[in-house]
Amino acid sequence: MSDKPFAAEAAQFGQAMNSINYSQVVEAAVRDYKRDVMDKQPQAGGKTMHQVVAMDDLMEDEELQKLHEDRIARLKAEREKRNQQAQKGHGTYGEISEGDFLEIVTQTDFVVVHFFHREFERCKIMDKHLQPLAHKYFNTRFIKVSAPDSPFFTVKLNIQMLPCIVGFSKGVAVGRITGFEGMGGRDDFPTSVLEDHLLVMGVITLPERNREDEDRTDGPGKNVRKSSHFSKTASDEDSDFE
């Protein structure tokens, strides 16, 4: 008799045993998983307590509704404030007359004023840096004033060298940048250098998304002077203003 029928039966038997072993392994894994889940469930009176949360019920929660209403009210207030600021010129950088200077400075929380001369090349360079900062720091008003056309405030603020940037906080001059002092003595300084100076003055504040990154650094503008008195430097000779 041939051995082939027995070989076929042996193969079938082996397959059956493999299936049984696989099933037992799966069942054991299921039991282990179920036991692990049951162990993590809180027990009360010997019975497993299952916490079921219905999202519809959460939407009717008074505390959640109050949080939602507060957020909506805050967003509306911020939008209204931004609209009012936009009407006053926030987000833009432009020239104003001497007659508008006092009103803007005294009625705006933070103002950056650039006293300039139309023929001074460095004043034009400063304009290029102030323009993007005006868009970035919407809560601060950025303006420029022609020094020759504003003799009263030029004298009162002791503007003797241009370009000159004066920072105001609630109507009080809190600092200034004269010429390119603190800019590395170069005409191609990055905008971030001027930005750091204004941050140290306190006339601009970092947007919310940047504050965490700023906390991980040594802080901006460590070499910026807060004093409103600056000495004349050789690099500013071409910008002397009398």
Side-chain angles (χ1 to χ4, degrees), residues 6-226:
F6 296 103
E9 291 179 1
Q12 292 178 356
F13 178 77
Q15 293 176 356
M17 292 301 296
N18 288 335
S19 299
I20 293 174
N21 290 336
Y22 179 77
S23 299
Q24 290 176 342
V25 170
V26 173
E27 290 177 0
V30 171
R31 287 196 302 270
D32 292 341
Y33 174 77
K34 184 177 180 180
R35 183 169 58 252
D36 183 61
V37 172
M38 295 293 289
D39 291 341
K40 293 180 180 179
Q41 291 290 340
Q43 302 293 324
K47 297 181 180 179
T48 302
M49 301 297 295
H50 297 279
Q51 184 179 7
V52 179
V53 179
M55 299 309 295
D56 291 340
D57 294 339
L58 287 179
M59 293 302 296
E60 297 178 359
D61 185 89
E62 294 182 359
E63 184 176 355
L64 183 61
Q65 286 184 350
K66 186 178 185 305
L67 290 174
H68 179 67
E69 292 172 357
D70 291 344
R71 173 171 173 78
I72 295 299
R74 185 169 62 254
L75 291 175
K76 288 182 177 179
E78 292 177 355
R79 183 174 58 185
E80 183 178 354
K81 177 183 177 182
R82 188 175 180 88
N83 290 337
Q84 293 176 351
Q85 289 176 327
Q87 294 176 0
K88 294 179 179 180
H90 286 252
T92 63
Y93 173 64
E95 182 179 350
I96 66 165
S97 64
E98 185 178 41
D100 296 329
F101 178 82
L102 190 62
E103 180 181 358
I104 293 175
V105 170
T106 56
Q107 296 186 9
T108 309
D109 288 341
F110 303 106
V111 184
V112 173
V113 185
H114 175 205
F115 287 89
F116 75 102
H117 194 294
R118 303 184 194 282
E119 297 180 2
F120 287 180
E121 189 63 30
R122 283 192 165 182
C123 291
K124 298 176 183 178
I125 294 175
M126 192 66 76
D127 285 339
K128 295 179 181 180
H129 293 290
L130 290 171
Q131 185 73 48
L133 292 179
H135 291 290
K136 182 177 181 179
Y137 296 96
F138 194 85
N139 288 329
T140 300
R141 181 81 186 272
F142 286 77
I143 58 177
K144 57 190 295 188
V145 178
S146 172
D149 298 328
S150 308
F152 179 81
F153 291 108
T154 299
V155 172
K156 287 294 184 182
L157 293 171
N158 194 29
I159 308 296
Q160 298 181 1
M161 196 177 301
L162 299 178
C164 181
I165 294 179
V166 182
F168 290 87
S169 176
K170 299 184 184 300
V172 178
V174 294
R176 69 172 60 192
I177 302 171
T178 303
F180 279 12
E181 184 172 357
M183 305 295 175
R186 44 187 283 192
D187 291 355
D188 59 344
F189 65 89
T191 302
S192 59
V193 175
L194 174 60
E195 184 177 11
D196 288 346
H197 280 64
L198 299 178
L199 283 167
V200 172
M201 278 189 201
V203 292
I204 61 174
T205 56
L206 283 173
E208 291 294 335
R209 63 181 179 276
N210 292 338
R211 285 179 180 170
E212 184 178 349
D213 294 336
E214 187 66 27
D215 290 340
R216 291 195 291 266
T217 67
D218 293 334
K222 292 183 290 184
N223 296 325
V224 179
R225 300 184 185 181
K226 291 186 178 181

